[in-house]
Amino acid sequence: MDVDIWAWVGDTQQQLSEAGNVGLAMALGDLPAQAYEGRYPQLDVMAPAIAQQAETLELPWLEFYARYWHLVGRIGDRAQGAVALDDARQLLAFAQREDVRECPSAPAAVEALAIALANTDGPGYATERLETLGAHLEALSPERPAFTGLVTQYVAALIDAGKADEAVTYAESAAERLRTAGRAASWELGAEHSRALLAAGRAEAALDALQAASDHQPDDPVAKDHRDGVRRALILATLGRVAEAVDALPDLDVVGEHPRVFVEWSRAVAQLASSAQITNTWQLGRVLRQWIDYFGMMGGYRARVELALIAGDLAVARQGVWQARLLADVAESGTAELRASEGLAERIAALRAAADATAEHEAPGPLEERVGLFDAADGFNADPEKWVGWLAPLSGDDLEATRRHTTTLGFLGYPAAGADIYWKTLVDTGRIGEADAEDVAYLTTLLIEARQDERLEQMAALLPHAAQQVALARLHSARERWPEALDAAEHAVAAGAGIDARRLLSGAAQQLDQNARAAQVLVEVIDELADEDVWRMIVMATSAEDWEIVRKGAAKIGMPVKSKEGPIEEEMGLIRVILPAPDGGQRQVLSIRTGPATARLALPQPRGMDYNAGDLVVFDPQLLEPVPDDPQEQQNFVPPFAAVRILRPGGYTSYFFDGAAPSESDWAEFTEVMAERGWPMWVYSDENYKVTHPTSGEPLPGVFGWVAVPPDVSPQEVDALLDDATERWVHPLAWLDLAREIDVEVGRHERIVKEYGL
């Protein structure tokens, strides 16, 4: 996005804060970091909320800003394709509106559309990308910050169009134009220049270009290191410099969070897999299969086909013949979604031929002993990919072998193949109505994972009523259709289904905020519940304020509760409650645990927050951090728990104070006064916070924070107490917002703020 926009962002934040939209202002500046740092749950909540508020406030530039960064978070590192195309096209149309087109970052919408098209099917959309980008580049000078991003995407489109030499020339020309304009090329442009050289068969030059780009500023600084490592490893592997390539290649635990580099990383691994440094294992195959499914869901059609072919070649290399054949099928079906498929039919045929020419691994024993051998195998070291091949001759005929074979297929990422076999064994033979509950559960799981919902409903219709409703409840829960899940689970429980049906019912009821029902269905079978179920029941009963059930749950897990009836209000020590922040992040609030799943917030929070000191919060009793092993650390450990909901607001109001720090004795007296009143107070500044001496200009230690008061305390009382408690301080304290609220000594507080640079 254009750097020109940032001054506008700062001004907008200030205007929103002054207008009382503190939460919106706080969130605004964090959107780019959320997009680049992979904080997608926050981004997916905050960006649409900001865009909606911007529309309401009639701030179209702000709406564009929020929509743009949300889209970048989807099409950048997450590499979303077809699922983001409509949003990318709509953003471009929005950017061309009369009241938006003058926004300095409006051209970024063109770049975003080009990226979304490339993610979907780079070669298939190459012509459209070139036309769209070219039309905007004609009127864009190199001095404009948007220029670099657009030319980078133009180079990428030329590569995908099969014009690698032209891409090289264009990238070098663009870099020269930038130099002439006094601007440097971005790392991304240099990296794309490198990719063009590699595509043109000039690997040595590609390595030089990538090295030359290493000092360039990246547009996405968080992603630069792993993207550079993947590109470097691919080039080095192409050059046959295996050891260097392996050293450059980022580990799987690094790239696994970055779909944008999945295909290129896999290409590098495929070239290095024959070396001793890279091990071609079933675990690698399973990961690649997960990536294939990811792109299937995200509409990354070209990436899905490419990964299927790469994974197929790797499967052949480790004699995973059955997997190579299935991957050839995946690639072939994927070509139907591509706009350009030149050369793919030949690659798919070559994969099939290689699979047919490859011998499978020798089985560990005769057919009749394989189920027993499977059960006796070391679960840690056994290779499930080999076992799929070894059990295949029995699967479909021998029920025990079928169970193991199909569930292992599902584990490796092929639930549809497993479901087909199980279906023939149970449904096509008419045995499903009398099938063992375990087999029905296995088949249900495979059908859910394969997203074969209609098939599952067809199977459920053949089951006895209780089993039918359990299967449907599982399906609806997996798809987050909570009313339907609740209805099916209710029928299952009424029909006498077991504990799993009650868990499904409880979970669906909780999602629908029917906590009383959710807790009741579990307490009816409390003796059958595991500890995890009991804790869930306690949380739901607490939310419903059913203290009798909470006490029963506490007794079940051996947690002492002193009171015998009514709300549980006891002091059970300090905890940290994790709550959402306005910027989409999290806040840790020191709190006093009052019950098995309740805590009272102890620290005042800034205005504009949805919670404050004095609020009673329901929390999930599952620890978010392990208790330290070291006894000394245990003494200082305050356990953190995730908040579930505000049970009862305390009604406290917070007031901000700011100024030069007083002496230690004055501060001790001040805090004592607040404690006597029972007013929670917290300092948010640290030792680095300085204010300016009004006469000498020297820096002084500063202090700012919030004090919270209960609902029966008026603002005038707060002002009077603060005035009395600080009147003898060498330097005055300011509480400007409070002064403005009650219109008392506003000028004095404004003068303090100005003189001390607060």
Side-chain angles (χ1 to χ4, degrees):
M1 202 177 216
D2 279 1
V3 294
D4 295 353
I5 202 74
W6 300 119
W8 169 83
V9 170
D11 291 342
T12 303
Q13 284 183 290
Q14 184 174 351
Q15 292 168 18
L16 290 169
S17 295
E18 291 173 353
N21 293 309
V22 178
L24 179 59
M26 288 174 64
L28 186 60
D30 198 41
L31 289 186
Q34 291 174 7
Y36 286 150
E37 294 172 7
R39 291 187 273 138
Y40 302 128
Q42 296 170 234
L43 182 67
D44 291 342
V45 171
M46 296 309 303
I50 292 172
Q52 186 175 12
Q53 289 191 56
E55 183 179 12
T56 302
L57 295 170
E58 297 183 346
L59 298 172
W61 283 24
L62 177 57
E63 183 180 351
F64 175 81
Y65 173 90
R67 289 174 61 179
Y68 169 79
W69 282 113
H70 190 208
L71 187 61
V72 166
R74 296 173 60 198
I75 63 176
D77 210 32
R78 282 191 279 185
Q80 292 186 7
V83 297
L85 265 184
D86 285 346
D87 290 331
R89 294 190 191 281
Q90 289 170 18
L91 183 68
L92 180 56
F94 184 79
Q96 293 169 341
R97 275 180 21 177
E98 189 69 33
D99 55 352
V100 181
R101 67 176 59 168
E102 295 305 317
C103 173
S105 291
V110 180
E111 180 185 358
L113 176 59
I115 294 171
L117 290 167
N119 290 347
T120 305
D121 178 8
Y125 284 104
T127 300
E128 180 179 342
R129 290 155 63 198
L130 291 170
E131 290 173 352
T132 304
L133 290 161
H136 284 81
L137 279 167
E138 284 179 7
L140 202 65
S141 68
E143 288 81 3
R144 293 286 301 276
F147 178 82
T148 307
L150 294 184
V151 297
T152 300
Q153 290 307 311
Y154 197 88
V155 174
L158 286 170
I159 298 169
D160 287 342
K163 301 176 180 179
D165 290 325
E166 188 177 337
V168 171
T169 302
Y170 189 90
E172 292 170 350
S173 171
E176 181 57 35
R177 291 180 66 191
L178 284 165
R179 276 192 293 272
T180 302
R183 298 186 59 220
S186 66
W187 176 85
E188 284 79 5
L189 177 56
E192 211 57 30
H193 177 213
S194 170
R195 187 166 81 95
L197 287 162
L198 184 63
R202 298 164 59 187
E204 287 284 1
L207 188 61
D208 292 340
L210 188 63
Q211 187 59 40
S214 61
D215 293 331
H216 295 173
Q217 278 295 113
D219 292 330
D220 184 349
V222 177
K224 178 188 173 183
D225 285 348
H226 67 258
R227 293 184 70 189
D228 181 89
V230 170
R231 181 69 48 82
R232 192 176 301 273
L234 180 60
I235 297 170
L236 288 166
T238 304
L239 290 168
R241 294 159 62 174
V242 174
E244 295 172 81
V246 172
D247 285 343
L249 187 70
D251 291 338
L252 184 57
D253 61 354
V254 174
V255 300
E257 300 297 321
H258 306 292
R260 175 165 47 188
V261 298
F262 283 176
V263 174
E264 198 165 49
W265 186 89
S266 302
R267 284 178 178 149
V269 167
Q271 292 196 45
L272 298 169
S274 59
S275 70
Q277 290 95 327
I278 295 290
T279 307
N280 182 10
T281 64
W282 68 265
Q283 289 96 335
L284 175 62
R286 185 170 184 251
V287 167
L288 295 184
R289 176 64 203 181
Q290 291 168 350
W291 293 356
I292 291 165
D293 288 342
Y294 173 83
F295 284 117
M297 291 187 294
M298 295 298 113
Y301 301 138
R302 178 70 56 167
R304 180 171 180 260
V305 172
E306 284 293 323
L307 278 174
L309 290 167
I310 294 168
D313 290 338
L314 288 166
V316 168
R318 60 179 183 268
Q319 296 175 264
V321 174
W322 66 267
Q323 187 165 190
R325 288 174 175 146
L326 288 177
L327 287 164
D329 293 341
V330 171
E332 186 170 42
S333 65
T335 58
E337 297 167 316
L338 299 178
R339 292 162 60 101
S341 59
E342 290 81 3
L344 291 176
E346 292 78 8
R347 292 173 64 189
I348 293 168
L351 175 58
R352 293 194 194 282
D356 291 341
T358 300
E360 298 195 35
H361 291 278
E362 184 178 350
L367 271 177
E368 62 272 15
E369 295 179 11
R370 287 188 196 168
V371 170
L373 291 168
F374 176 92
D375 293 342
D378 180 347
F380 185 77
N381 294 313
D383 185 332
E385 189 175 84
K386 293 178 182 177
W387 276 106
V388 167
W390 293 334
L391 290 171
L394 294 168
S395 190
D397 297 320
D398 181 297
L399 190 55
E400 293 293 341
T402 302
R403 288 172 176 166
R404 290 153 179 79
H405 181 241
T406 56
T407 53
T408 306
L409 274 167
F411 170 74
L412 291 171
Y414 299 89
D420 285 345
I421 296 167
Y422 235 134
W423 189 272
K424 292 174 184 175
T425 304
L426 297 180
V427 181
D428 288 348
T429 60
R431 297 159 59 188
I432 187 67
E434 295 79 34
D436 187 280
E438 186 178 31
D439 290 308
V440 174
Y442 286 156
L443 179 52
T444 300
T445 298
L446 290 167
L447 291 169
I448 288 172
E449 291 177 352
R451 306 196 72 82
Q452 296 181 1
D453 295 9
E454 291 184 10
R455 209 176 187 191
L456 195 157
E457 291 169 353
Q458 181 184 345
M459 178 204 74
L462 304 173
L463 296 170
H465 183 66
Q468 175 190 99
Q469 296 302 316
V470 168
L472 292 174
R474 287 188 61 195
L475 171 63
H476 295 314
S477 294
R479 304 294 178 252
E480 298 184 358
R481 298 191 291 259
W482 301 118
E484 293 88 345
L486 180 68
D487 182 66
E490 288 274 18
H491 280 88
V493 170
I499 187 68
D500 285 342
R502 289 180 177 271
R503 290 184 178 119
L504 288 163
L505 171 52
S506 178
Q510 183 182 29
Q511 291 291 335
L512 294 168
D513 206 24
Q514 298 179 20
N515 287 289
R517 177 63 179 129
Q520 183 63 39
V521 74
L522 291 180
V523 79
E524 290 169 359
V525 291
I526 192 169
D527 291 338
E528 301 176 36
L529 299 181
D531 283 355
E532 182 181 350
D533 296 316
V534 176
W535 276 118
R536 283 186 56 244
M537 181 188 75
I538 286 173
V539 170
M540 294 181 290
T542 302
S543 296
E545 299 197 60
D546 190 328
W547 303 108
E548 181 181 354
I549 292 182
V550 174
R551 286 185 170 85
K552 287 181 179 179
K556 170 71 174 175
I557 58 177
M559 185 177 193
V561 175
K562 296 176 184 177
S563 59
K564 303 301 180 185
E565 60 183 20
I568 299 172
E569 286 278 355
E570 302 178 11
E571 287 200 12
M572 298 183 175
L574 289 176
I575 65 171
R576 288 176 284 158
V577 174
I578 312 302
L579 291 138
D583 63 358
Q586 295 179 328
R587 292 178 73 88
Q588 299 188 28
V589 181
L590 198 66
S591 307
I592 299 169
R593 187 172 188 169
T594 61
T598 51
R600 194 170 298 282
L601 304 186
L603 301 186
Q605 300 299 305
R607 289 281 186 99
M609 305 292 284
D610 294 330
Y611 44 85
N612 204 349
D615 290 355
L616 189 65
V617 176
V618 182
F619 65 88
D620 183 344
Q622 182 176 345
L623 262 177
L624 297 178
E625 296 173 15
V627 178
D629 294 328
D630 183 85
Q632 180 116 17
E633 291 182 21
Q634 288 178 12
Q635 292 181 4
N636 300 320
F637 180 68
V638 180
F641 300 98
V644 174
R645 67 193 307 150
I646 304 295
L647 188 63
R648 285 196 296 275
Y652 281 59
T653 302
S654 292
Y655 297 98
F656 182 70
F657 59 83
D658 191 4
S663 67
E664 288 187 15
S665 59
D666 284 342
W667 184 252
E669 184 179 342
F670 180 70
T671 56
E672 186 177 345
V673 168
M674 295 299 159
E676 287 174 355
R677 297 295 191 286
W679 296 0
M681 190 260 296
W682 192 254
V683 173
Y684 282 88
S685 56
D686 58 22
E687 64 275 5
N688 296 318
Y689 180 58
K690 305 293 182 184
V691 300
T692 304
H693 194 290
T695 55
S696 69
E698 294 293 317
L700 294 171
V703 60
F704 67 80
W706 295 85
V707 58
V709 299
D712 58 351
V713 176
S714 70
Q716 288 80 6
E717 290 179 74
V718 180
D719 175 75
L721 180 67
L722 290 173
D723 199 38
D724 183 60
T726 63
E727 66 177 349
R728 292 178 300 278
W729 290 11
V730 174
H731 299 284
L733 197 66
W735 46 93
L736 179 57
D737 292 342
L738 171 58
R740 286 173 172 168
E741 182 178 334
I742 60 176
D743 196 22
V744 172
E745 294 190 312
V746 176
R748 181 174 77 90
H749 288 283
E750 288 179 337
R751 186 171 62 255
I752 295 169
V753 169
K754 182 178 180 181
E755 290 178 350
Y756 285 84
L758 306 183

